[in-house]
Amino acid sequence: MALSPRGISTPFFVPSKLAVNQFMYRDEFLKKILIPFIEEKYPDKKYLFWPDKASSHYAKIVTDFLREKAVNFVEKKDNPTNLPQARPIEDFFGMLDQIVYRNGWEAENLKQLKRRVKNCLRKIDNTLVQGTLEKVRGLLRKCADNGPFSIQH
C-alpha cells in the first residue's frame, strides 16, 4: 500500500507463495492502486514516490511505466540502502503486523487475511500515520547533514 501525509491507499495482497515480480508490481499495484491514489491525493503533483529497493520496483518495465505516467519517484541510484530510521513506512508495517497477528491469530486463507488486515487498518489512527509521514523530509535532511546515525529509530 502507499502511505503519505495525505492518506493511505487500499492494500495490495499477493497470493501465498507468489513473488512480486515486475509485471505483478506494475499491473496490480502501480496501475490499480498507486496511480489512482496519486491522482486523487496529489493533483498538484507535489509528491515523491519512494519505493523500496526490491528488484521488481526498479525493473526497466516499471521505471519506464513510472516515467510514462510522469510519476515523480526516487531513482535507484538515489535510494539509500538500509535506512529504516528515515522510512516510517517500515514502522507502520511493523505496527500493522503486530495488530493483525495479535494473540497468535493466524489466517486460514487469503480472503480471511484480507478481511483481518482491512479491519485492523480501520482501527489505526490515520492522523498519527500521516503526521509521522510529514516528518520524512526533515529526517532525510538531518540524515544528509549529520549522517544516518543522527536519527533515532
Side-chain angles (χ1 to χ4, degrees):
M1 73 178 74
L3 305 177
S4 85
R6 296 186 188 176
I8 299 172
S9 76
T10 57
F12 165 57
F13 294 91
V14 178
S16 180
K17 299 181 183 171
L18 284 183
V20 177
N21 65 31
Q22 59 198 358
F23 303 103
M24 181 184 293
Y25 184 68
R26 181 195 61 193
D27 298 340
E28 300 298 323
F29 177 70
L30 295 177
K31 287 182 180 179
K32 293 180 180 177
I33 295 175
L34 184 69
I35 297 299
F37 178 79
I38 288 172
E39 289 171 349
E40 176 190 345
K41 302 292 185 181
Y42 292 92
D44 59 4
K45 305 275 190 219
K46 293 183 178 183
Y47 69 89
L48 180 62
F49 175 51
W50 186 3
D52 68 24
K53 290 185 89 168
S55 58
S56 61
H57 298 185
Y58 282 102
K60 183 170 177 7
I61 68 157
V62 169
T63 55
D64 287 350
F65 174 78
L66 292 171
R67 287 185 186 97
E68 173 188 316
K69 295 295 184 182
V71 172
N72 303 317
F73 70 98
V74 177
E75 295 283 348
K76 187 173 186 176
K77 67 179 178 53
D78 298 323
N79 195 341
T81 301
N82 198 16
L83 193 62
Q85 62 269 43
R87 292 178 60 93
I89 193 167
E90 306 298 341
D91 294 329
F92 173 81
F93 283 120
M95 178 183 67
L96 180 60
D97 188 64
Q98 287 180 351
I99 295 168
V100 168
Y101 296 103
R102 186 173 282 149
N103 298 323
W105 183 86
E106 292 183 20
E108 294 177 14
N109 55 52
L110 184 58
K111 184 178 178 181
Q112 190 180 53
L113 178 62
K114 285 181 182 182
R115 188 172 36 245
R116 175 83 170 201
V117 168
K118 288 177 182 179
N119 284 335
C120 290
L121 284 170
R122 284 188 209 102
K123 296 175 185 174
I124 293 175
D125 181 358
N126 285 344
T127 58
L128 176 66
V129 174
Q130 292 167 327
T132 301
L133 292 165
E134 287 176 345
K135 297 175 185 173
V136 170
R137 181 172 287 172
L139 290 172
L140 291 173
R141 173 54 40 215
K142 186 174 182 182
C143 185
D145 292 346
N146 305 313
F149 298 113
S150 65
I151 302 173
Q152 296 298 318
H153 190 27

